[in-house]
Structure formats: structure tokens, C-alpha cells
mmCIF file of all heavy atoms in Angstrom:
data_model
loop_
_atom_site.group_PDB
_atom_site.id
_atom_site.type_symbol
_atom_site.label_atom_id
_atom_site.label_comp_id
_atom_site.label_asym_id
_atom_site.label_seq_id
_atom_site.Cartn_x
_atom_site.Cartn_y
_atom_site.Cartn_z
ATOM 1 N N ALA A 1 -13.977 -10.450 -9.963
ATOM 2 C CA ALA A 1 -13.163 -11.393 -9.130
ATOM 3 C C ALA A 1 -11.722 -11.016 -9.283
ATOM 4 O O ALA A 1 -10.962 -11.034 -8.262
ATOM 5 C CB ALA A 1 -13.366 -12.811 -9.677
ATOM 6 N N ALA A 2 -11.292 -10.554 -10.383
ATOM 7 C CA ALA A 2 -9.904 -10.020 -10.585
ATOM 8 C C ALA A 2 -9.660 -8.805 -9.749
ATOM 9 O O ALA A 2 -8.569 -8.597 -9.148
ATOM 10 C CB ALA A 2 -9.616 -9.728 -12.070
ATOM 11 N N GLY A 3 -10.639 -7.967 -9.681
ATOM 12 C CA GLY A 3 -10.530 -6.727 -8.844
ATOM 13 C C GLY A 3 -10.431 -7.059 -7.339
ATOM 14 O O GLY A 3 -9.626 -6.478 -6.581
ATOM 15 N N ILE A 4 -11.147 -8.064 -6.912
ATOM 16 C CA ILE A 4 -11.108 -8.533 -5.490
ATOM 17 C C ILE A 4 -9.692 -9.017 -5.213
ATOM 18 O O ILE A 4 -9.103 -8.775 -4.169
ATOM 19 C CB ILE A 4 -12.133 -9.627 -5.237
ATOM 20 C CG1 ILE A 4 -13.543 -9.018 -5.359
ATOM 21 C CG2 ILE A 4 -11.940 -10.258 -3.884
ATOM 22 C CD1 ILE A 4 -14.631 -10.076 -5.304
ATOM 23 N N ALA A 5 -9.114 -9.815 -6.132
ATOM 24 C CA ALA A 5 -7.804 -10.353 -5.958
ATOM 25 C C ALA A 5 -6.777 -9.233 -5.812
ATOM 26 O O ALA A 5 -5.836 -9.286 -4.949
ATOM 27 C CB ALA A 5 -7.417 -11.255 -7.124
ATOM 28 N N SER A 6 -6.916 -8.204 -6.613
ATOM 29 C CA SER A 6 -5.964 -7.069 -6.568
ATOM 30 C C SER A 6 -6.168 -6.261 -5.255
ATOM 31 O O SER A 6 -5.155 -5.905 -4.615
ATOM 32 C CB SER A 6 -6.172 -6.111 -7.756
ATOM 33 O OG SER A 6 -5.355 -5.018 -7.681
ATOM 34 N N LEU A 7 -7.377 -6.112 -4.882
ATOM 35 C CA LEU A 7 -7.685 -5.331 -3.617
ATOM 36 C C LEU A 7 -7.138 -6.034 -2.407
ATOM 37 O O LEU A 7 -6.798 -5.410 -1.411
ATOM 38 C CB LEU A 7 -9.198 -5.195 -3.469
ATOM 39 C CG LEU A 7 -9.669 -4.389 -2.277
ATOM 40 C CD1 LEU A 7 -9.314 -2.884 -2.469
ATOM 41 C CD2 LEU A 7 -11.163 -4.506 -2.126
ATOM 42 N N TRP A 8 -6.991 -7.323 -2.455
ATOM 43 C CA TRP A 8 -6.517 -8.120 -1.309
ATOM 44 C C TRP A 8 -5.089 -7.779 -0.940
ATOM 45 O O TRP A 8 -4.643 -7.950 0.214
ATOM 46 C CB TRP A 8 -6.657 -9.599 -1.661
ATOM 47 C CG TRP A 8 -6.455 -10.552 -0.527
ATOM 48 C CD1 TRP A 8 -6.248 -10.256 0.813
ATOM 49 C CD2 TRP A 8 -6.469 -11.983 -0.604
ATOM 50 N NE1 TRP A 8 -6.170 -11.420 1.521
ATOM 51 C CE2 TRP A 8 -6.310 -12.451 0.691
ATOM 52 C CE3 TRP A 8 -6.634 -12.892 -1.661
ATOM 53 C CZ2 TRP A 8 -6.227 -13.818 0.954
ATOM 54 C CZ3 TRP A 8 -6.596 -14.247 -1.419
ATOM 55 C CH2 TRP A 8 -6.378 -14.698 -0.099
ATOM 56 N N GLY A 9 -4.331 -7.238 -1.869
ATOM 57 C CA GLY A 9 -2.938 -6.916 -1.530
ATOM 58 C C GLY A 9 -2.832 -5.931 -0.378
ATOM 59 O O GLY A 9 -3.597 -4.992 -0.272
ATOM 60 N N PRO A 10 -1.858 -6.155 0.517
ATOM 61 C CA PRO A 10 -1.726 -5.289 1.710
ATOM 62 C C PRO A 10 -1.404 -3.820 1.390
ATOM 63 O O PRO A 10 -1.677 -2.946 2.154
ATOM 64 C CB PRO A 10 -0.588 -5.950 2.489
ATOM 65 C CG PRO A 10 0.199 -6.774 1.468
ATOM 66 C CD PRO A 10 -0.839 -7.219 0.488
ATOM 67 N N ALA A 11 -0.845 -3.570 0.225
ATOM 68 C CA ALA A 11 -0.573 -2.162 -0.125
ATOM 69 C C ALA A 11 -1.784 -1.442 -0.657
ATOM 70 O O ALA A 11 -1.744 -0.243 -0.857
ATOM 71 C CB ALA A 11 0.555 -2.152 -1.193
ATOM 72 N N HIS A 12 -2.848 -2.169 -0.869
ATOM 73 C CA HIS A 12 -4.075 -1.555 -1.402
ATOM 74 C C HIS A 12 -5.201 -1.603 -0.380
ATOM 75 O O HIS A 12 -5.433 -0.680 0.338
ATOM 76 C CB HIS A 12 -4.451 -2.281 -2.705
ATOM 77 C CG HIS A 12 -5.537 -1.688 -3.514
ATOM 78 N ND1 HIS A 12 -6.142 -0.431 -3.164
ATOM 79 C CD2 HIS A 12 -6.219 -2.077 -4.610
ATOM 80 C CE1 HIS A 12 -7.068 -0.144 -4.082
ATOM 81 N NE2 HIS A 12 -7.146 -1.098 -4.950
ATOM 82 N N GLY A 13 -5.925 -2.709 -0.352
ATOM 83 C CA GLY A 13 -7.137 -2.798 0.531
ATOM 84 C C GLY A 13 -6.842 -3.216 1.960
ATOM 85 O O GLY A 13 -7.794 -3.183 2.755
ATOM 86 N N GLY A 14 -5.633 -3.592 2.276
ATOM 87 C CA GLY A 14 -5.363 -4.062 3.624
ATOM 88 C C GLY A 14 -4.837 -3.027 4.599
ATOM 89 O O GLY A 14 -4.387 -3.364 5.698
ATOM 90 N N ALA A 15 -5.005 -1.732 4.227
ATOM 91 C CA ALA A 15 -4.416 -0.690 5.047
ATOM 92 C C ALA A 15 -5.111 -0.595 6.417
ATOM 93 O O ALA A 15 -4.467 -0.394 7.443
ATOM 94 C CB ALA A 15 -4.499 0.657 4.327
ATOM 95 N N ASN A 16 -6.449 -0.715 6.482
ATOM 96 C CA ASN A 16 -7.129 -0.664 7.799
ATOM 97 C C ASN A 16 -6.810 -1.880 8.647
ATOM 98 O O ASN A 16 -6.791 -1.772 9.876
ATOM 99 C CB ASN A 16 -8.636 -0.432 7.637
ATOM 100 C CG ASN A 16 -9.291 -1.371 6.679
ATOM 101 O OD1 ASN A 16 -8.725 -2.382 6.269
ATOM 102 N ND2 ASN A 16 -10.525 -1.068 6.287
ATOM 103 N N GLU A 17 -6.529 -3.017 8.044
ATOM 104 C CA GLU A 17 -5.989 -4.144 8.853
ATOM 105 C C GLU A 17 -4.691 -3.828 9.478
ATOM 106 O O GLU A 17 -4.413 -4.135 10.605
ATOM 107 C CB GLU A 17 -5.920 -5.374 7.947
ATOM 108 C CG GLU A 17 -7.161 -6.066 7.510
ATOM 109 C CD GLU A 17 -6.940 -7.420 6.818
ATOM 110 O OE1 GLU A 17 -6.061 -8.166 7.324
ATOM 111 O OE2 GLU A 17 -7.657 -7.709 5.857
ATOM 112 N N ALA A 18 -3.834 -3.169 8.691
ATOM 113 C CA ALA A 18 -2.520 -2.753 9.166
ATOM 114 C C ALA A 18 -2.639 -1.808 10.339
ATOM 115 O O ALA A 18 -1.792 -1.824 11.306
ATOM 116 C CB ALA A 18 -1.686 -2.129 8.037
ATOM 117 N N VAL A 19 -3.607 -0.966 10.355
ATOM 118 C CA VAL A 19 -3.865 -0.052 11.480
ATOM 119 C C VAL A 19 -4.119 -0.835 12.756
ATOM 120 O O VAL A 19 -3.525 -0.535 13.830
ATOM 121 C CB VAL A 19 -5.056 0.903 11.184
ATOM 122 C CG1 VAL A 19 -5.429 1.690 12.468
ATOM 123 C CG2 VAL A 19 -4.719 1.850 10.061
ATOM 124 N N LEU A 20 -4.951 -1.817 12.704
ATOM 125 C CA LEU A 20 -5.274 -2.667 13.911
ATOM 126 C C LEU A 20 -4.024 -3.383 14.365
ATOM 127 O O LEU A 20 -3.765 -3.591 15.567
ATOM 128 C CB LEU A 20 -6.397 -3.607 13.616
ATOM 129 C CG LEU A 20 -7.805 -3.074 13.952
ATOM 130 C CD1 LEU A 20 -7.979 -2.908 15.470
ATOM 131 C CD2 LEU A 20 -8.117 -1.790 13.259
ATOM 132 N N ARG A 21 -3.209 -3.916 13.433
ATOM 133 C CA ARG A 21 -1.988 -4.630 13.796
ATOM 134 C C ARG A 21 -1.023 -3.680 14.479
ATOM 135 O O ARG A 21 -0.364 -4.035 15.429
ATOM 136 C CB ARG A 21 -1.312 -5.220 12.588
ATOM 137 C CG ARG A 21 -2.072 -6.471 12.007
ATOM 138 C CD ARG A 21 -1.188 -7.224 11.049
ATOM 139 N NE ARG A 21 -0.864 -6.472 9.850
ATOM 140 C CZ ARG A 21 -1.628 -6.439 8.733
ATOM 141 N NH1 ARG A 21 -2.722 -7.111 8.662
ATOM 142 N NH2 ARG A 21 -1.228 -5.694 7.701
ATOM 143 N N MET A 22 -0.968 -2.421 14.005
ATOM 144 C CA MET A 22 -0.097 -1.392 14.662
ATOM 145 C C MET A 22 -0.616 -1.104 16.076
ATOM 146 O O MET A 22 0.213 -1.043 17.012
ATOM 147 C CB MET A 22 -0.080 -0.144 13.839
ATOM 148 C CG MET A 22 0.719 1.017 14.462
ATOM 149 S SD MET A 22 0.377 2.593 13.634
ATOM 150 C CE MET A 22 -1.378 2.886 14.179
ATOM 151 N N LEU A 23 -1.857 -0.973 16.260
ATOM 152 C CA LEU A 23 -2.427 -0.669 17.565
ATOM 153 C C LEU A 23 -2.150 -1.848 18.518
ATOM 154 O O LEU A 23 -1.817 -1.639 19.713
ATOM 155 C CB LEU A 23 -3.935 -0.424 17.446
ATOM 156 C CG LEU A 23 -4.340 0.812 16.686
ATOM 157 C CD1 LEU A 23 -5.885 0.887 16.581
ATOM 158 C CD2 LEU A 23 -3.797 2.075 17.307
ATOM 159 N N THR A 24 -2.197 -3.051 17.976
ATOM 160 C CA THR A 24 -1.867 -4.238 18.802
ATOM 161 C C THR A 24 -0.409 -4.202 19.202
ATOM 162 O O THR A 24 -0.043 -4.576 20.313
ATOM 163 C CB THR A 24 -2.208 -5.521 18.016
ATOM 164 O OG1 THR A 24 -3.583 -5.505 17.677
ATOM 165 C CG2 THR A 24 -1.911 -6.750 18.853
ATOM 166 N N GLU A 25 0.453 -3.814 18.295
ATOM 167 C CA GLU A 25 1.930 -3.694 18.600
ATOM 168 C C GLU A 25 2.166 -2.655 19.664
ATOM 169 O O GLU A 25 3.019 -2.839 20.519
ATOM 170 C CB GLU A 25 2.700 -3.351 17.328
ATOM 171 C CG GLU A 25 4.206 -3.338 17.510
ATOM 172 C CD GLU A 25 4.974 -2.926 16.274
ATOM 173 O OE1 GLU A 25 4.275 -2.744 15.196
ATOM 174 O OE2 GLU A 25 6.234 -2.825 16.340
ATOM 175 N N ILE A 26 1.450 -1.523 19.550
ATOM 176 C CA ILE A 26 1.705 -0.495 20.602
ATOM 177 C C ILE A 26 1.243 -1.014 21.964
ATOM 178 O O ILE A 26 1.913 -0.757 22.975
ATOM 179 C CB ILE A 26 0.907 0.781 20.256
ATOM 180 C CG1 ILE A 26 1.469 1.406 18.922
ATOM 181 C CG2 ILE A 26 0.950 1.848 21.355
ATOM 182 C CD1 ILE A 26 0.720 2.578 18.401
ATOM 183 N N ALA A 27 0.084 -1.629 22.043
ATOM 184 C CA ALA A 27 -0.415 -2.461 23.151
ATOM 185 C C ALA A 27 -0.866 -1.623 24.375
ATOM 186 O O ALA A 27 -1.765 -2.055 25.096
ATOM 187 C CB ALA A 27 0.652 -3.459 23.573
ATOM 188 N N ASN A 28 -0.259 -0.429 24.614
ATOM 189 C CA ASN A 28 -0.628 0.302 25.781
ATOM 190 C C ASN A 28 -0.508 1.810 25.484
ATOM 191 O O ASN A 28 0.435 2.244 24.792
ATOM 192 C CB ASN A 28 0.273 -0.053 26.957
ATOM 193 C CG ASN A 28 -0.128 0.525 28.276
ATOM 194 O OD1 ASN A 28 -0.130 1.711 28.483
ATOM 195 N ND2 ASN A 28 -0.542 -0.377 29.218
ATOM 196 N N LYS A 29 -1.426 2.588 26.026
ATOM 197 C CA LYS A 29 -1.362 4.076 25.785
ATOM 198 C C LYS A 29 -0.024 4.654 26.255
ATOM 199 O O LYS A 29 0.442 5.675 25.626
ATOM 200 C CB LYS A 29 -2.528 4.762 26.507
ATOM 201 C CG LYS A 29 -3.848 4.558 25.818
ATOM 202 C CD LYS A 29 -4.887 5.564 26.304
ATOM 203 C CE LYS A 29 -5.222 5.518 27.715
ATOM 204 N NZ LYS A 29 -6.348 6.409 28.129
#
């Protein structure tokens, strides 16, 4: 459970979420 809490941090396990947010920001090819 402690490992899950640490992984939740955006600098660790949230990197692929950040990719999708970036693609949303770009919005158009």
C-alpha cells in the first residue's frame, strides 16, 4: 500500500498520464 502511494506521484507513475495531457494540449497535428 505504501508502494502504491509512492507510485501515485506524477514524477513516478503518472508519466503516461502526462503524455495524454500533452497530446490534449497539442490538440491538432
Side-chain angles (χ1 to χ4, degrees):
I4 294 170
S6 178
L7 184 68
W8 191 4
H12 189 6
N16 49 13
E17 288 190 38
V19 170
L20 268 293
R21 288 195 295 271
M22 176 193 69
L23 296 176
T24 302
E25 183 182 358
I26 296 174
N28 190 295
K29 285 198 297 184

